[in-house]
Amino acid sequence: MPDLEKALRERRDAGGRVFIPYVTGGFPGVDASLLRALQDAGADAVEVGIPFSDPVMVGGVIQEASRLALEAGARPSRILETIAEAALDVPVAVMTYVNPVYRHGFEMFLDEAESAGVAGVIVPDLPVDEAGDWTAACAAHGVASVLLAAPGTASERLAWIAKASSGFLYCVATYGVTGIRAELAGTARLLIERLRPLTDLPLVLGVGVGSPEQAAEVGAFADGAVVGTALMARLLEGDRDGLLALSRRFRSALPPG
């Protein structure tokens, strides 16, 4: 599988900024061909959500996409099969919650993820002080365990998160859940400034990056952006071509290096 941290470091070290689009796995139309099209649109990595019935971190758009995906029969194993079928040249990270991972079993989940070519896993509701067994299991499987760093977190805890994370550090731009905001939160830059002295991992900003213009702002101080709600809103409208066109605009807003 492609190495997540290596791929993002290469973009950053060449003077570029990272673009990671998110799509909800199992949602109608999120298939291997769409994942390949996102790669062709310039993604440095692709984030695929594994839906859960109580997605505490996400806002209305991705909640609705998750609901529809579950109604359509989305299951972790099926989503991993789609990722394996896509066989991307860029890394794939999956985002899910601790409940489905725990129910599946850490080892079984990571066995299947590794076999599918997953390069990283994001579990936003697993706090760093309870993540030791999980991060150790990920390391044993060669899968990055991407942790989240949020505004308002104490400096000592930020240092702990930065040390425990691998692949990249998912930097949460604002308080609250995912969604489109009228402007980029001021907490975004402050968080990146606090993290720079703590880690050399790529610092990629997500949650509230809703337009190419905001992505361009992000590129001035962070190493890149994760974009989800703006893209999934297009799919909820049945506009696959619009999603891909918007992805290309986000890529253009973030310098390639």
Side-chain angles (χ1 to χ4, degrees):
M1 71 184 90
D3 184 287
L4 179 61
E5 184 174 329
K6 181 174 183 289
L8 303 190
R9 281 183 180 276
E10 285 178 353
R11 175 73 76 182
R12 181 194 67 183
D13 294 348
R17 296 293 181 267
V18 168
F19 170 49
I20 304 177
Y22 163 95
V23 288
T24 302
F27 184 85
V30 177
D31 53 18
S33 68
L34 179 64
L35 300 186
R36 288 192 288 264
L38 288 169
Q39 173 180 268
D40 294 343
D44 294 287
V46 176
E47 182 184 341
V48 179
I50 296 178
F52 177 51
S53 57
D54 187 21
V56 294
M57 184 182 168
V58 300
V61 167
I62 297 178
Q63 282 188 21
E64 179 65 3
S66 297
R67 183 185 70 82
L68 293 170
L70 290 169
E71 286 185 358
R75 297 292 183 273
S77 296
R78 293 181 185 178
I79 293 167
L80 294 174
E81 287 170 5
T82 298
I83 293 169
E85 181 186 350
L88 300 186
D89 295 323
V90 300
V92 176
V94 296
M95 193 282 280
T96 189
Y97 289 88
V98 71
N99 185 285
V101 170
Y102 182 79
R103 288 181 61 189
H104 213 69
F106 283 6
E107 290 298 330
M108 184 177 294
F109 181 89
L110 288 168
D111 280 341
E112 292 185 17
E114 183 182 8
S115 295
V118 169
V121 184
I122 306 162
V123 185
D125 60 339
L126 182 62
V128 66
D129 41 338
E130 298 178 15
D133 290 345
W134 169 250
T135 57
C138 286
H141 285 267
V143 174
S145 175
V146 179
L147 301 186
L148 280 73
T153 303
S155 296
E156 296 81 3
R157 191 171 182 85
L158 275 185
W160 189 1
I161 293 167
K163 183 176 181 179
S165 189
S166 57
F168 67 95
L169 198 53
Y170 193 126
C171 305
V172 179
T174 187
Y175 300 101
V177 297
T178 61
I180 297 172
R181 272 80 169 177
E183 59 185 23
L184 194 65
T187 49
R189 183 186 291 267
L190 178 61
L191 178 62
I192 298 295
E193 289 174 350
R194 293 178 65 204
L195 286 166
R196 284 286 179 210
L198 302 178
T199 181
D200 189 46
L201 282 173
L203 302 179
V204 184
L205 201 74
V207 183
V209 184
S211 70
E213 293 75 19
Q214 290 175 353
E217 289 184 58
V218 168
F221 59 88
D223 297 325
V226 177
V227 180
T229 297
L231 302 181
M232 286 307 301
R234 298 295 193 278
L235 271 194
L236 281 172
E237 297 166 356
D239 188 4
R240 182 182 188 275
D241 290 342
L243 177 151
L244 294 174
L246 183 57
S247 295
R248 290 189 287 270
R249 289 180 58 206
F250 272 105
R251 172 69 277 170
S252 295
L254 290 160

